[in-house]
Amino acid sequence: MNTVKQKKNKKKSIWLDVWRRLRKNKMAVGGLVIIILLFLTAIFADWIAPYSYESQDLLNMFQTPSFEHWFGTDEFGRDIFSRIVYGSRISLEVGFIAVGISLIIGGSIGAIAGYYGGRLENLLMRCMDVLLAIPEILLAIAIVAALGPSIANLMIAVGISSIPGYARLVRASVMSIREQEFIEAARAAGSSDFRIIVKHILPNCMAPIIVQATIGVAIAILTAAGLSFIGLGIQPPTPEWGSMLSGGRSYIRDYPHMTLFPGIAMMVTILALNLLGDGLRDALDPKLKN
Amino acid sequence: MLKYFARRILMLIPVILGVAFIVFFLLYITPGDPARIILGDQATEESVLQLREEMGLNDPFFVRFGKYAYNLVVNQDVGKSYVTKRPVWDEIMTVFPATLKLAGSSILLALLIGIPIGIISAIKQYSIFDNVTMLFALIGISMPVFWLGLLLILLFSVKLGWLPSSGYTTLNAMILPAVALGAQSIAIITRMTRSSMLEVIRMDYIRMARSKGQDENKVVFKHALGNALIPIITIAGLQFGRLLGGAVLTESIFSIPGIGRLMVESIKMRDFPVVQGGVLFVAISFSLVNLLVDLLYAYVDPRIKSQYK
Amino acid sequence: MRKKISIFLVGVLLLVTALTGCSSAKPEAASGAESTNGSEAASGAETTPAAPAKDTLIVATGYDAKSLDPHATNDVASSNIMEQIYDTLVVLNSSNEVVGSLAEKFEVIDELTYKFYLKKGVKFHNGEELKAADVAYTFKRATSPIGGSIAHIVGDIDPEGLEIVDDYTIIVRIKTPNSAFLPSLTHKGGGVILNEKAVEAAGDAYAMNPVGTGPFKFESWAKGDQIVLTRFDEYYGEKPSFSKMVIRAIPEATNRTIELESGGVDIAYDIATNDITRIEENKDLKIIRKMANSTTYFAFNTLKAPFDDIKVRQAIEYAIDTETIVQAVWRGVGAPAVGPVPPNIKYFNNALGKPTYDVEKAKALLVEAGYPDGFTAKIWTNDKKARIDMCTIIQNQLAEIGIKTEIQVLEWGAYLEGIKNGDHEMFMVGWSTQTPDPDMSLYGPFHSSQKGKNNFSYYDNPKVDALLEEGRKLADSKERQAIYEELQTIIREEAPWIVMENSETVVGVRSNIEGFDPSPFGYHVLYNVTIK
Amino acid sequence: MAEKHLLEIKNLTIHYQTDYGTVHAVEGFNLEVGNGETLGLVGETGAGKTTTAFGIMQLLPEPAGKVVAGEIYFRGENLLGKSKTEMKKILGKQIAMIFQDPMTSLNPVMTVGAQIEEMIKLHEPGTKEEIKEKAKKMLEVVGIPAVRQDEYPHQFSGGMKQRVVIAIALSCNPMLLIADEPTTALDVTIQAQVLDLMKKLKDDFKTSMIMITHDLGVVAEICDKVAIMYGGKVVEYATKESLYTKPYHPYTVGLFNSIPDLDSEQDRLNVIDGLPPDPTDMPSGCSFHPRCPHKMPICSQKSPSKVVVGSEHHVYCYLYEQEGAL
């Protein structure tokens, strides 16, 4: 019997199964569709946006939505629709890269702690406790202040501030798998620790990580937008949704469209990610559903 | 039990020192000279140099941190504000009531609304009520708090003129910020209650209770809720802890002078002692809230209680 | 079990109500007098304020004070409070002349020596009488390291030269001749007189327990929220017509207007441009405007290429359409600036005219300077929205002559540090003339000794240095006027700065408030206002 | 027919709606339980035994599980026609249930005493003291010192917990006790103790019982009658003696063969080939036919009907239909 092949097939069928369950969840599919659309928007922003995100028209400031400017114009006469289209790039970039950062660092810490255990684990997890004790947004603010304002630093700040969550999650998953037989088998066969972690343990604790990461992207986008809203991180004329909101804030009484559209864009994005995250959780862990 | 908590409190000390170190380090590498900012942009260079010396800003990093840590541990002293010269503790205590009030009313709102709705949703799983509630809860989680705050102000302060847009001293003034800040917690607690209830309701002991011929209401409230409460308490505690330090945006939108705003302002002012003290304070409160949650656990769950003995 | 749950819930409830209850008790008591207004706001009625017996003035400002120790800080928000609490030896009258205040009269003995005769019977809020010893103590303290933030204002005073003649007479000596000395004593911060006993008694806590001789005395301060002052009944001058003043910090301009409209406040500072019409059209409200003594400018690090080339700087000046920018950003508030001296300050040189906008000329100058294809550069600004907005437009306009720029918004601390290190290229910032003399407008930003400190553009011109030093020494005269007018001309020509805008103070006031006259320095007298 | 049987189930059909389609958990199920009788309901995991029990108790998980057809007569009255309120009076008082896993069937945040008292309070109200006394007595009946009534479930071992569950179930002296694999989750030594206890109490309390199990050894020890269940149906019904003497249905035969025989020296167990049927996709005809060694063409076309093969012994299988016809 070819056990390896069987195992592979089994793995494949698990993901197929997940996909089958996910497909049945209308909300999750809706979320997925929105996210795909957002990615397309971000990739093809140059074609989609009718105007440049920075071209000003000081004669046409504060235009309300019209045929020429679907979402109106802002305080520099810039087309808000175009800015939102380009803004999707920033938000997706920040969201995914920040989560990437925290996933790589937090995941490594968690995997090492969970796999080796003992003193090392204790030390690493106490460090995580320290980070965890500081509210994410405060930590992110302090990091951005220290590193200086730029999109890259914003990603780093948001990423670092959510490391402990991933470290804990991965550690818990690794610990639950560490003692299983196939790990023992791999160990007996002389695989290196690194190989065991990467090849055998991590693939088997992907489910909770994927769910957490999906929702994590939403949280990262929110945190980043929050930082931009209080004026940290994004440099003008970058069309970041949070900074657009903050820019429109002073004009909210006269020109609410300036805050309405970026807010809707943000909410829809985050809603979509949350829907997908929820759907994935149900699909990956079907026993919770029924 | 007492011993357990004593140990937990002791274990806080390294965490606090760790937090102090991180914040100290971050502020150390933050560009900007506190002396210069305190004195204002038109101050003379001589005064700036003099003040730097006086503040000990010219010492090497580890000397400064060592002094700080020593004062923190030995004297429980977090220093004085660079700007107002008041003890940092006083600075924090003047803004803390506003934050506590905000966080408290938000979490209260979340518990009072989230738990009942979550229970109904769980009992009527897949009903219209459940679907609508869950959709709203998802929207609640997805709504950026600063956007919701602005919309609330636009509607209730500007258009309708019912509620004030700023302040925190009166009950009226608290409504909008508490709703804005609480919306997410309401959503989170509703979802948590629902899923926790659903999980518990599937348990054998619930079926067992039903098999006794017990009233369905009693099954839900007496048997299910008691067990479902445990994760709800965790999440509520976690939320409350986060609200204490993380209400920066809400405080900024509604002009509430709370800890979050104090932190942001102090970072801008490079008022390092206040930032350090404030973050420490938040971290300690957060840890204490967690401890309190553990205490509540023991109260609710006899299994955990017996572990402490 | 159920009992446990309810106990738990009730416990949480009690905890929260207890905490919020006790925390709110104090501020509520403090704002008790405004309750008539508050209820009106809640009902949304737009009728006239209720009782004529209204005895409390509520003011909304953008920033909370930092400290009420005048030597510990130099910010407008703090001065705004200190204006009501403290007095200075001398003040400016309506025609900008220095006249006595706490000092009944004063004599200029020589260019270094001034003699002040104090009014008798002036009481501090703690009951002490004002004596020459207090003045001596104040100036000694101001010139010590404690007064670092106001050293540029009163740093000229020689602490060794303070001579108490008798209880009501004091001689003050300065280190170098400076005709701007007397005007600097009018500064609400550097110039105010403290009570020795009160300061010593309070120690570090003085910042929150100020004692002055002014018409209002300090009562309470809820940090970040509001400061409450009450009328000082033993005030030596004319007593205010109302007994209590509440100054609330409301950072959001929109919120200040909303509060003003609803009657939650009587006076709101720094009204947002787009709210002006709204207030003007509201019959219960009015707008009061006054040009302020501050100038926003766009400048260069003149040490760095290509900005060390006058032609490049001039090219940029021609490329920037200040008029359009000011109109777009401020929409009718403030005015395009003419020179580095604000229009309300003496020797303002109006002949210079606004910078002209001429793209062709700008391009030609760039070619002359050897940059036919432009170059790339950074623009720094701090996080004030109006400045960011101006930079955003400038970025666009510079692109037209081939200069590609990147805007970097820095926090104030990082900004100052960058300037000090000379990391900057082009930048946007403001300068306010804090005492009514052109020396204050020009010496800091343009004298070569101030490079990296207040002279952000590292401008170094020996002729300018000489003129600035000369101008300091001279007493007001035609000669002095000529010096300052020449200085303004040179600076405009060499363009280390491109002056952008003179700001305007815009205050919203409820119609029943009379006698409010904003000050161009940003800290406004509130005690002589009357409430109808 | 009124009091002939304590419980009579006719054509019971229970479906679950899931993401994967309709699960035919119980399909055309027929069964009778007489007064004082102990019936063993035997089958593999997934055969529908527990669902049947829940169906009788009307504790099917809502809204997924539904009784689609059939009648359940208890003391002559159709339980499926009863309102919730009426059902509540029957549950616990007349029909009680013991669940499979004692680890999860006690509420972890209530003392065991309180959980027994709850049952008594519902059906035999009295003063606080009376109820407490009764609960204490029940604890002692199942062999637990009464002083432990204020302890929580986690302080008891698995066997002890199951004793508590038994105490709860029997506290109101029910007429019918449904025990769902009460010993599977326990250690082998404990299993015997608990089983002995149940046997004894069943006689003391004169309770009828449905013993759900997959263990024919348990059946041998405690039951009077046996029903073999496969694919949601009863495929064979007999007295214990009759069945153990001669099992008819190929599945039953398979079950007996798969009991390890310590005396014989066989290399491996005679397990039944193949897997239990997918309940969302039940085989047509006799649901056992894909695994049946005696499969005939007709087996996959039509469900077999009841064939009486002895007194109180019947089977659903074409093998014997033909035999009978012969």
Side-chain angles (χ1 to χ4, degrees):
Chain A
M1 267 219 258
N2 192 338
T3 46
V4 177
K5 201 176 165 195
Q6 212 173 39
K7 209 174 138 197
K8 268 218 175 106
N9 280 339
K10 205 179 143 207
K11 214 179 260 170
K12 216 179 191 175
S13 76
I14 287 174
W15 290 112
L16 222 81
D17 230 30
V18 168
W19 168 239
R20 211 161 52 102
R21 279 192 293 256
L22 188 68
R23 226 173 33 192
K24 284 206 179 129
N25 184 338
K26 276 183 220 129
M27 303 270 253
V29 172
L32 187 63
V33 168
I34 294 174
I35 293 163
I36 291 171
L37 283 179
L38 264 166
F39 265 102
L40 293 178
T41 309
I43 294 167
F44 299 107
D46 293 333
W47 285 275
I48 296 170
Y51 301 85
S52 143
Y53 64 85
E54 53 181 357
S55 76
Q56 303 173 357
D57 180 359
L58 296 180
L59 296 175
N60 282 308
M61 304 184 297
F62 303 115
Q63 298 276 303
T64 47
S66 66
F67 191 70
E68 275 137 273
H69 298 285
W70 293 356
F71 293 172
T73 63
D74 67 4
E75 70 266 44
F76 302 109
R78 297 179 298 201
D79 183 54
I80 292 179
F81 176 70
S82 303
R83 287 179 66 74
I84 287 180
V85 167
Y86 280 100
S88 63
R89 277 189 186 172
I90 313 290
S91 286
L92 291 179
E93 247 174 62
V94 171
F96 280 89
I97 294 179
V99 166
I101 292 172
S102 40
L103 200 55
I104 289 170
I105 302 180
S108 311
I109 293 175
I112 291 170
Y115 184 76
Y116 290 105
R119 279 222 182 128
L120 186 64
E121 176 188 24
N122 220 324
L123 180 76
L124 288 174
M125 293 329 281
R126 287 300 81 73
C127 289
M128 292 300 103
D129 283 352
V130 168
L131 277 184
L132 210 60
I134 310 173
E136 273 174 44
I137 185 120
L138 278 189
L139 187 59
I141 288 172
I143 294 174
V144 169
L147 298 181
S150 75
I151 294 188
N153 290 341
L154 190 67
M155 292 169 184
I156 294 173
V158 175
I160 290 181
S161 62
S162 46
I163 283 176
Y166 292 94
R168 288 189 148 193
L169 183 76
V170 173
R171 171 176 159 268
S173 308
V174 169
M175 278 170 66
S176 70
I177 289 170
R178 179 173 69 180
E179 302 304 335
Q180 284 182 17
E181 281 150 43
F182 68 96
I183 303 296
E184 289 295 334
R187 209 176 279 145
S191 294
S192 70
D193 287 350
F194 179 76
R195 202 184 143 78
I196 292 175
I197 294 177
V198 173
K199 280 266 167 191
H200 298 285
I201 296 188
L202 288 184
N204 280 293
C205 48
M206 281 320 275
I209 296 175
I210 289 174
V211 173
Q212 172 91 3
T214 312
I215 293 168
V217 172
I219 295 172
I221 292 178
L222 263 184
T223 312
L227 290 182
S228 316
F229 184 78
I230 50 176
L232 290 165
I234 300 286
Q235 304 293 327
T238 315
E240 202 276 337
W241 295 339
S243 61
M244 287 174 74
L245 258 182
S246 139
R249 176 185 185 184
S250 338
Y251 310 103
I252 190 164
R253 298 182 70 181
D254 301 281
Y255 311 109
H257 69 270
M258 285 176 64
T259 37
L260 204 61
F261 293 111
I264 291 176
M266 206 182 308
M267 200 191 81
V268 169
T269 307
I270 292 159
L271 186 65
L273 284 163
N274 280 330
L275 282 172
L276 182 65
D278 272 15
L280 278 173
R281 181 179 21 236
D282 291 345
L284 288 165
D285 192 357
K287 69 173 189 287
L288 280 179
K289 192 90 194 289
N290 288 312
Chain B
M1 189 102 170
L2 248 169
K3 225 170 158 186
Y4 170 80
F5 282 104
R7 214 182 69 226
R8 282 281 300 265
I9 300 265
L10 274 178
M11 267 167 62
L12 264 182
I13 293 174
V15 171
I16 289 166
L17 277 177
V19 170
F21 181 80
I22 289 178
V23 180
F24 209 94
F25 175 73
L26 281 176
L27 292 178
Y28 182 75
I29 61 169
T30 301
D33 180 355
R36 177 107 219 155
I37 298 173
I38 292 165
L39 294 179
D41 48 348
Q42 304 196 350
T44 62
E45 193 64 12
E46 298 71 48
S47 338
V48 174
L49 285 176
Q50 206 158 24
L51 189 62
R52 278 188 65 86
E53 194 55 49
E54 197 186 305
M55 288 167 33
L57 291 176
N58 294 329
D59 294 339
F61 173 74
F62 281 102
V63 173
R64 282 170 62 190
F65 180 69
K67 278 184 191 163
Y68 185 79
Y70 178 83
N71 267 328
L72 178 68
V73 175
V74 178
N75 307 328
Q76 286 88 50
D77 179 18
V78 283
K80 284 181 180 175
S81 159
Y82 285 166
V83 177
T84 63
K85 310 278 192 306
R86 294 170 75 207
V88 169
W89 179 250
D90 291 1
E91 290 284 321
I92 293 169
M93 275 308 128
T94 41
V95 297
F96 185 57
T99 297
L100 186 63
K101 210 167 147 180
L102 184 62
S105 41
S106 297
I107 204 74
L108 198 67
L109 214 58
L111 290 174
L112 291 181
I113 297 175
I115 292 181
I117 292 186
I119 293 173
I120 300 174
S121 257
I123 298 171
K124 312 244 176 233
Q125 196 188 6
Y126 303 130
S127 67
I128 294 177
F129 178 88
D130 180 36
N131 288 334
V132 171
T133 307
M134 284 304 108
L135 186 66
F136 267 97
L138 253 180
I139 292 177
I141 288 178
S142 312
M143 197 95 158
V145 60
F146 42 97
W147 191 51
L148 179 61
L150 289 179
L151 295 182
L152 288 175
I153 290 182
L154 187 62
L155 181 62
F156 291 100
S157 303
V158 176
K159 297 269 186 253
L160 299 173
W162 290 352
L163 295 164
S165 62
S166 58
Y168 71 104
T169 42
T170 60
L171 187 65
N172 265 352
M174 276 311 287
I175 295 176
L176 292 186
V179 170
L181 184 62
Q184 209 168 33
S185 308
I186 296 175
I188 289 174
I189 288 188
T190 307
R191 281 163 58 100
M192 193 68 214
T193 307
R194 176 179 179 271
S195 66
S196 174
M197 280 298 279
L198 281 178
E199 201 162 313
V200 167
I201 275 177
R202 273 194 286 267
M203 300 302 276
D204 281 346
Y205 55 80
I206 295 301
R207 213 172 255 143
M208 172 95 178
R210 287 197 183 120
S211 82
K212 290 175 179 175
Q214 183 59 282
D215 198 60
E216 188 59 28
N217 277 334
K218 279 208 174 140
V219 171
V220 169
F221 287 101
K222 194 168 161 184
H223 291 273
L225 187 57
N227 284 284
L229 213 51
I230 295 162
I232 300 173
I233 290 174
T234 320
I235 213 90
L238 217 60
Q239 282 291 310
F240 185 62
R242 287 286 169 234
L243 293 182
L244 280 182
V248 182
L249 295 166
T250 317
E251 289 175 2
S252 132
I253 286 169
F254 292 97
S255 312
I256 295 170
I259 295 250
R261 241 181 72 197
L262 178 72
M263 293 294 95
V264 173
E265 294 302 315
S266 302
I267 287 178
K268 284 189 177 166
M269 292 296 304
R270 303 293 185 265
D271 194 347
F272 292 168
V274 177
V275 180
Q276 281 148 13
V279 174
L280 279 182
F281 179 82
V282 170
I284 293 172
S285 337
F286 182 63
S287 307
L288 287 180
V289 168
N290 278 346
L291 198 59
L292 205 74
V293 165
D294 285 356
L295 234 158
L296 268 174
Y297 268 1
Y299 183 69
V300 175
D301 189 339
R303 282 166 297 186
I304 294 169
K305 192 175 187 172
S306 64
Q307 282 170 16
Y308 293 146
K309 279 178 181 157
Chain C
M1 195 58 234
R2 191 208 215 154
K3 210 167 73 195
K4 282 189 180 177
I5 299 164
S6 48
I7 290 174
F8 163 65
L9 286 177
V10 167
V12 172
L13 199 94
L14 280 179
L15 183 77
V16 171
T17 43
L19 288 170
T20 55
C22 68
S23 66
S24 64
K26 209 172 100 190
E28 233 148 41
S31 58
E34 63 180 296
S35 60
T36 47
N37 264 335
S39 59
E40 191 184 285
S43 66
E46 50 171 71
T47 45
T48 47
K54 186 169 156 46
D55 205 22
T56 301
L57 182 75
I58 305 167
V59 180
T61 141
Y63 305 93
D64 192 18
K66 282 183 197 162
S67 166
L68 294 181
D69 177 348
H71 297 162
T73 184
N74 176 32
D75 64 291
V76 172
S78 304
S79 295
N80 190 43
I81 310 291
M82 293 195 257
E83 170 80 56
Q84 329 301 331
I85 300 177
Y86 294 107
D87 286 311
T88 46
L89 287 177
V90 289
V91 293
L92 288 181
N93 67 8
S94 50
S95 43
N96 268 352
E97 292 156 340
V98 177
V99 295
S101 173
L102 284 178
E104 201 163 20
K105 57 181 178 154
F106 56 90
E107 290 164 7
V108 184
I109 295 173
D110 58 45
E111 60 179 5
L112 289 176
T113 316
Y114 297 76
K115 192 172 187 182
F116 297 92
Y117 298 91
L118 302 183
K119 279 185 183 142
K120 287 179 186 159
V122 173
K123 284 272 170 62
F124 281 103
H125 300 155
N126 60 354
E128 297 277 310
E129 195 193 349
L130 170 72
K131 299 272 175 63
D134 291 312
V135 179
Y137 172 80
T138 302
F139 287 147
K140 214 169 245 165
R141 186 172 185 264
T143 49
S144 77
I146 294 172
S149 47
I150 47 158
H152 62 291
I153 295 168
V154 291
D156 279 334
I157 297 176
D158 177 8
E160 305 304 318
L162 292 165
E163 184 185 333
I164 301 171
V165 180
D166 59 45
D167 269 357
Y168 302 102
T169 318
I170 184 165
I171 290 173
V172 178
R173 291 190 180 83
I174 55 178
K175 295 176 200 155
T176 49
N178 185 352
S179 49
F181 171 63
L182 273 179
S184 73
L185 286 186
T186 66
H187 183 256
K188 288 291 169 178
V192 306
I193 304 301
L194 310 178
N195 177 253
E196 177 169 9
K197 225 172 158 180
V199 176
E200 292 299 318
D204 273 345
Y206 185 76
M208 294 199 78
N209 296 283
V211 170
T213 54
F216 276 87
K217 63 180 183 204
F218 175 80
E219 184 172 303
S220 68
W221 186 358
K223 271 229 111 200
D225 186 37
Q226 59 179 18
I227 292 176
V228 180
L229 308 176
T230 48
R231 183 165 56 202
F232 177 47
D233 290 324
E234 289 167 85
Y235 180 54
Y236 69 94
E238 194 185 327
K239 302 227 177 8
S241 65
F242 56 97
S243 67
K244 192 167 166 186
M245 191 190 293
V246 179
I247 293 142
R248 288 178 58 188
I250 304 179
E252 268 308 297
T254 319
N255 289 358
R256 286 198 294 278
T257 304
I258 295 173
E259 290 294 301
L260 183 72
E261 288 171 326
S262 65
V265 302
D266 301 308
I267 297 176
Y269 292 171
D270 295 329
I271 294 298
T273 310
N274 42 311
D275 283 333
I276 292 179
T277 334
R278 193 190 320 277
I279 292 177
E280 279 171 346
E281 283 167 1
N282 187 330
K283 64 178 168 46
D284 291 332
L285 312 174
K286 59 192 173 190
I287 281 281
I288 296 174
R289 307 165 64 145
K290 187 158 208 169
M291 288 306 291
N293 289 340
S294 63
T295 310
T296 306
Y297 63 94
F298 183 74
F300 311 96
N301 179 351
T302 57
L303 292 182
K304 264 194 188 166
F307 309 108
D308 53 349
D309 187 337
I310 292 187
K311 290 209 175 85
V312 171
R313 304 201 297 256
Q314 286 172 336
I316 292 174
E317 178 165 329
Y318 281 116
I320 295 176
D321 180 1
T322 39
E323 191 131 23
T324 309
I325 293 173
V326 170
Q327 178 58 33
V329 173
W330 300 93
R331 276 163 290 132
V333 175
V338 166
V341 175
N344 281 343
I345 300 294
K346 64 188 159 199
Y347 313 143
F348 163 64
N349 189 352
N350 202 16
L352 292 171
K354 294 167 204 154
T356 34
Y357 174 54
D358 188 338
V359 178
E360 290 316 309
K361 208 162 176 181
K363 281 181 181 158
L365 277 164
L366 265 193
V367 173
E368 264 180 64
Y371 298 96
D373 302 321
F375 49 85
T376 51
K378 285 180 294 194
I379 299 178
W380 282 13
T381 174
N382 69 334
D383 48 14
K384 276 195 180 161
K385 173 141 173 53
R387 288 185 189 162
I388 298 173
D389 287 356
M390 288 198 275
C391 289
T392 311
I393 304 177
I394 288 176
Q395 181 181 45
N396 243 29
Q397 293 179 343
L398 290 186
E400 279 179 44
I401 58 164
I403 303 175
K404 286 191 198 66
T405 53
E406 182 197 335
I407 299 175
Q408 295 189 323
V409 181
L410 302 177
E411 272 183 288
W412 195 227
Y415 191 100
L416 288 181
E417 177 139 324
I419 299 264
K420 211 181 112 200
N421 299 338
D423 296 335
H424 55 316
E425 295 176 352
M426 294 192 270
F427 59 101
M428 171 83 69
V429 75
W431 178 259
S432 56
T433 306
Q434 299 187 337
T435 61
D437 194 276
D439 174 62
M440 197 43 93
S441 314
L442 299 177
Y443 190 88
F446 298 108
H447 194 275
S448 61
S449 69
Q450 301 288 314
K451 277 192 276 188
K453 302 166 191 170
N454 289 322
N455 181 350
F456 285 2
S457 44
Y458 288 81
Y459 181 62
D460 190 342
N461 181 338
K463 190 175 179 204
V464 169
D465 284 358
L467 285 170
L468 282 170
E469 283 154 27
E470 182 70 16
R472 273 200 157 182
K473 287 181 197 148
L474 291 175
D476 284 359
S477 57
K478 274 266 178 297
E479 203 187 343
R480 191 167 190 244
Q481 176 164 11
I483 284 175
Y484 282 106
E485 284 178 354
E486 189 183 354
L487 274 169
Q488 292 173 61
T489 316
I490 297 174
I491 289 164
R492 266 294 298 280
E493 227 170 68
E494 299 215 323
W497 281 19
I498 298 168
V499 288
M500 300 294 302
E501 184 256 355
N502 287 127
S503 55
E504 187 175 3
T505 305
V506 182
V507 179
V509 176
R510 289 195 71 84
S511 310
N512 58 328
I513 302 296
E514 284 186 353
F516 178 77
D517 183 22
S519 144
F521 297 106
Y523 35 93
H524 314 304
V525 170
L526 292 167
Y527 48 81
N528 56 10
V529 158
T530 50
I531 311 172
K532 272 207 301 187
Chain D
M1 79 160 192
E3 295 291 322
K4 195 173 131 202
H5 299 295
L6 177 67
L7 182 76
E8 184 171 357
I9 301 173
K10 284 187 174 170
N11 192 31
L12 183 67
T13 303
I14 299 173
H15 290 175
Y16 289 109
Q17 301 298 332
T18 71
D19 287 354
Y20 301 99
T22 306
V23 175
H24 298 253
V26 176
E27 196 74 51
F29 180 96
N30 293 296
L31 191 70
E32 296 96 31
V33 181
N35 271 312
E37 224 172 59
T38 297
L39 174 96
L41 189 57
V42 182
E44 285 169 304
T45 309
K49 298 165 298 184
T50 305
T51 304
T52 308
F54 288 162
I56 299 168
M57 308 277 295
Q58 296 188 21
L59 292 176
L60 289 168
E62 284 179 72
K66 264 221 167 65
V67 175
V68 185
E71 290 115 47
I72 301 170
Y73 290 101
F74 179 71
R75 302 174 73 192
E77 291 175 60
N78 187 357
L79 293 181
L80 295 176
K82 299 237 177 247
S83 70
K84 286 212 159 173
T85 335
E86 288 171 315
M87 247 346 256
K88 264 182 224 150
K89 292 205 180 99
I90 296 169
L91 288 184
K93 173 71 186 155
Q94 301 187 20
I95 310 176
M97 185 160 173
I98 296 170
F99 291 82
Q100 190 168 359
D101 186 356
M103 300 304 179
T104 58
S105 49
L106 289 173
N107 187 335
V109 303
M110 278 170 85
T111 61
V112 297
Q115 297 190 52
I116 303 174
E117 285 165 31
E118 184 186 17
M119 181 79 141
I120 302 167
K121 222 183 287 177
L122 278 166
H123 302 293
E124 292 174 0
T127 66
K128 242 184 181 169
E129 288 70 32
E130 286 166 12
I131 291 172
K132 200 159 188 173
E133 267 321 299
K134 180 95 193 280
K136 273 189 191 168
K137 213 185 83 204
M138 282 313 297
L139 271 180
E140 273 166 358
V141 163
V142 295
I144 296 173
V147 287
R148 298 195 66 182
Q149 62 164 339
D150 289 330
E151 291 182 20
Y152 287 94
H154 70 272
Q155 290 159 299
F156 291 79
S157 68
M160 295 289 256
K161 276 186 204 165
Q162 198 61 305
R163 284 167 192 260
V164 173
V165 175
I166 294 168
I168 294 174
L170 292 179
S171 61
C172 293
N173 203 356
M175 310 184 73
L176 176 64
L177 181 66
I178 302 176
D180 185 4
E181 310 209 22
T183 57
T184 350
L186 302 174
D187 286 347
V188 186
T189 46
I190 312 288
Q191 277 185 6
Q193 288 175 18
V194 170
L195 222 52
D196 285 346
L197 176 74
M198 287 186 69
K199 207 167 154 187
K200 178 178 168 290
L201 292 178
K202 174 185 76 103
D203 295 337
D204 291 354
F205 283 76
K206 296 185 183 61
T207 308
S208 301
M209 180 155 89
I210 297 177
M211 168 66 88
I212 296 173
T213 181
H214 59 257
D215 185 347
L216 287 168
V218 171
V219 175
E221 196 162 327
I222 202 167
C223 297
D224 309 318
K225 304 272 171 63
V226 188
I228 307 291
M229 204 174 168
Y230 186 85
K233 284 188 188 74
V234 172
V235 292
E236 183 162 7
Y237 174 89
T239 60
K240 179 169 68 184
E241 291 73 21
S242 173
L243 190 80
Y244 278 64
T245 323
K246 178 160 175 44
Y248 280 80
H249 198 279
Y251 175 64
T252 319
V253 176
L255 276 182
F256 275 102
N257 285 342
S258 65
I259 299 174
D261 190 342
L262 294 176
D263 300 334
S264 75
E265 287 173 18
Q266 45 190 12
D267 286 343
R268 53 185 290 241
L269 288 174
N270 291 312
V271 290
I272 306 169
D273 281 338
L275 295 166
D278 177 358
T280 58
D281 186 21
M282 279 287 186
S284 57
C286 170
S287 52
F288 188 63
H289 81 260
R291 299 169 77 185
C292 184
H294 312 290
K295 177 170 57 183
M296 294 178 290
I298 188 160
C299 296
S300 57
Q301 288 158 15
K302 229 179 87 198
S303 296
S305 44
K306 181 165 153 183
V307 183
V308 179
V309 290
S311 82
E312 295 197 83
H313 194 156
H314 57 258
V315 65
Y316 295 80
C317 182
Y318 283 112
L319 283 176
Y320 309 104
E321 222 167 274
Q322 285 162 348
E323 239 171 52
L326 284 171

